[in-house]
Amino acid sequence: MDKPLAALEITSKAAKILVGYVIDDEVIVIYADSLPLDGAVVDGEIRDFEKVTNVLKSLANIKDESKKLKINISEVVLGLPPIGLEVYQNDKVTNVVSEDSRISRIDISNVISLVKKEQIKTNDVIVDIIPDVFILDRNQIFFTPPIGQTSNSLALNAKVHTLPRSIIAGYLKVCENANLRVKRLMVTPYALGEVLKTYRDIPDNYLLFDFGAKLTTISLMGEKSRLFASTYLSKGGDDLTNYLADKFHIDSEVASQLKELYGLDQSRVSPHISIVENKSTKTKIYLDDFKKEIASWLDDFVRDLKLATNTLLKEYDERYYMLPIIVVGGASKLNGLDKYLEKQYPDNAVRIVVPTSLGARDASYFNCLGLIKAASIYRGTLEDERIRVSPLNRKGGETRSYSELDDEL
């Protein structure tokens, strides 16, 4: 069994941890958990460092008596939101250093280093360099590092992912404060693409909509998992919940439950059925009224979503506007959302995808699954060249019940 990895995502709603490994292209989940972070992260920027640090410390010490599981996480694969993401295309070539012209990891590192030296925006930092193809003599093309192949030169076509320095610094700081070493960094749309390409019927090129609680990201994906561009909206599922709570004068938790249960429900139920009674005003909330308000909010949301998508695709051919749309994220659980989006995007094939990994079938864990998947493969990326150490350490000096699973970690 491969060594388990720990994936960490910090969002405006919660910090999520997922421990797992990959077998036969599938992420096997050992453990997944999340803790709320309301108000600590705004538009991808950490505002309350102490709160986030304390939450990460709690997540890093896993004690699950039901599974006889105790893990002390000291190292994580960290997912970053694509706030201010820039994607550069870069091509470089280097000579192979060995006397017999056999390519080794040092050659991969050398050509990656050449790409790393290219100039980017002053206030940005390189998150990762993702190879598209490696090209050898006689135009031999490889999509994975051609270790052991013979060639006098090694060329690389790659994409460079960068983010604002201020965004990255905040995430690294809270991890450092929580005594978590960041094994690898990557932007979440790229990670999502890596896990989505293992699902059936994912198109080669598509628009990826990630509907979060307070943030929605829109990404252009090519060749199943390559990230070409990304943008975002500061709006998500929690905004709809708050809108409904204010409109009907009900508690936010009740609004959230009703939203997911009924949503835009198209079943044959009388639209005049009462779904809940407001105890303070003694007024009833009817399904028809509830659905109308959801649709009204969604109309405004999709209007903003289309504007953001148009901005993202403004430099691309018109055909890109008709690409299939893949929808993921915790806010995609809204009942009837698929039918609504199909009407709003008649020129696009729309599909809502949920995780299939046992132990993390909640849509909110999709990014973490992608982080595990992407980090489990040597692709010759910049982050692959970082020194790797054991990701998970067992606690010492504790008397506890034995678990075969715990012993593996």
Side-chain angles (χ1 to χ4, degrees):
M1 184 176 80
D2 293 338
K3 289 183 178 180
L5 298 169
L8 172 65
E9 184 186 18
I10 302 170
T11 72
S12 54
K13 187 176 181 67
K16 307 164 194 173
I17 199 86
L18 187 146
V19 180
Y21 54 92
V22 176
I23 292 182
D24 295 332
D25 239 10
E26 182 178 353
V27 180
I28 308 299
V29 178
I30 296 173
Y31 184 84
D33 195 15
S34 66
L35 289 174
L37 279 178
D38 291 330
V41 182
V42 179
D43 288 346
E45 183 178 346
I46 295 174
R47 300 287 179 84
D48 190 334
F49 284 80
E50 183 178 2
K51 183 175 183 177
V52 177
T53 297
N54 290 335
V55 165
L56 296 188
K57 286 181 178 179
S58 297
L59 284 175
N61 292 281
I62 298 171
K63 294 182 180 180
D64 190 329
E65 297 298 334
S66 64
K67 297 180 180 178
K68 297 181 180 180
L69 187 64
K70 292 187 179 182
I71 307 173
N72 178 34
I73 296 175
S74 61
E75 188 173 73
V76 295
V77 180
L78 178 62
L80 298 170
I83 307 298
L85 173 71
E86 296 284 352
V87 180
Y88 300 88
Q89 183 68 42
N90 201 291
D91 307 328
K92 286 290 181 286
V93 62
T94 187
N95 293 324
V96 175
V97 299
S98 67
E99 293 184 0
D100 61 0
S101 298
R102 288 193 178 276
I103 297 171
S104 64
R105 284 191 62 156
I106 188 63
D107 301 303
I108 307 297
S109 296
N110 287 344
V111 74
I112 287 286
S113 295
L114 292 176
V115 175
K116 187 179 178 182
K117 292 177 182 178
E118 285 295 297
Q119 188 173 2
I120 60 174
K121 288 183 178 179
T122 304
N123 294 322
D124 284 1
V125 174
I126 293 177
V127 177
D128 208 351
I129 297 171
I130 313 295
D132 287 334
V133 293
F134 297 92
I135 305 172
L136 311 187
D137 295 345
R138 301 180 300 279
N139 287 323
Q140 293 175 283
I141 293 176
F142 293 82
F143 295 99
T144 57
I147 304 296
Q149 297 292 327
T150 301
S151 179
N152 292 316
S153 65
L154 174 65
L156 171 65
N157 296 348
K159 288 183 174 59
V160 182
H161 296 168
T162 73
L163 288 176
R165 188 181 304 274
S166 59
I167 295 289
I168 295 180
Y171 285 79
L172 293 179
K173 184 63 176 178
V174 291
C175 287
E176 180 184 354
N177 292 346
N179 299 314
L180 291 172
R181 179 180 179 271
V182 177
K183 176 190 182 71
R184 181 167 177 175
L185 287 168
M186 64 185 80
V187 289
T188 51
Y190 162 70
L192 265 172
E194 285 297 303
V195 73
L196 282 172
K197 73 180 182 182
T198 66
Y199 283 52
R200 292 182 58 186
D201 302 324
I202 295 298
D204 289 337
N205 306 296
Y206 58 95
L207 293 169
L208 176 61
F209 293 172
D210 185 355
F211 291 172
K214 299 177 181 177
L215 199 72
T216 295
T217 60
I218 307 104
S219 304
L220 175 61
M221 310 296 293
E223 298 185 38
K224 292 194 182 293
S225 63
R226 292 178 186 170
L227 173 61
F228 285 84
S230 189
T231 189
Y232 72 98
L233 285 177
S234 298
K235 189 181 290 187
D238 278 7
D239 295 284
L240 172 56
T241 298
N242 294 334
Y243 173 82
L244 294 170
D246 292 341
K247 195 73 178 180
F248 294 104
H249 308 290
I250 55 177
D251 184 78
S252 293
E253 186 173 340
V254 174
S256 180
Q257 292 171 351
L258 294 175
K259 177 188 72 175
E260 291 191 12
L261 178 61
Y262 294 104
L264 297 168
D265 180 53
Q266 300 298 316
S267 60
R268 295 182 179 179
V269 178
S270 171
H272 303 296
I273 188 173
S274 171
I275 57 176
V276 72
E277 181 176 341
N278 187 316
K279 295 181 180 179
S280 61
T281 62
K282 303 298 182 181
T283 58
K284 295 181 178 181
I285 299 174
Y286 294 95
L287 178 59
D288 193 40
D289 295 331
F290 195 73
K291 288 165 57 176
K292 285 180 180 177
E293 292 301 334
I294 290 178
S296 176
W297 186 90
L298 283 175
D299 288 346
D300 290 338
F301 172 71
V302 169
R303 190 178 301 114
D304 292 341
L305 186 62
K306 288 182 176 180
L307 287 173
T309 304
N310 290 343
T311 301
L312 182 73
L313 300 178
K314 64 181 180 181
E315 297 180 359
Y316 292 87
D317 187 274
E318 290 184 1
R319 292 173 297 173
Y320 285 79
Y321 291 84
M322 294 181 285
L323 285 174
I325 296 173
I326 301 296
V327 181
V328 298
S332 68
K333 295 184 289 186
L334 176 68
N335 191 354
L337 180 62
D338 52 346
K339 299 297 182 184
Y340 175 85
L341 291 176
E342 287 172 3
K343 292 179 180 178
Q344 293 292 323
Y345 292 91
D347 296 326
N348 309 77
V350 180
R351 177 183 171 193
I352 296 178
V353 181
V354 296
T356 58
S357 298
L358 185 64
R361 289 179 174 169
D362 188 312
S364 63
Y365 284 109
F366 228 147
N367 284 333
C368 286
L369 291 168
L371 293 169
I372 297 291
K373 179 66 174 66
S376 68
I377 304 170
Y378 172 64
R379 290 192 57 190
T381 68
L382 174 64
E383 289 290 292
D384 278 331
E385 303 309 316
R386 295 174 60 162
I387 298 175
R388 295 170 178 253
V389 297
S390 178
L392 303 175
N393 297 324
R394 289 173 52 184
K395 287 187 175 180
E398 287 188 324
T399 302
R400 50 184 171 74
S401 56
Y402 172 77
S403 165
E404 182 178 346
L405 176 60
D406 194 24
D407 195 50
E408 289 286 348
L409 302 181

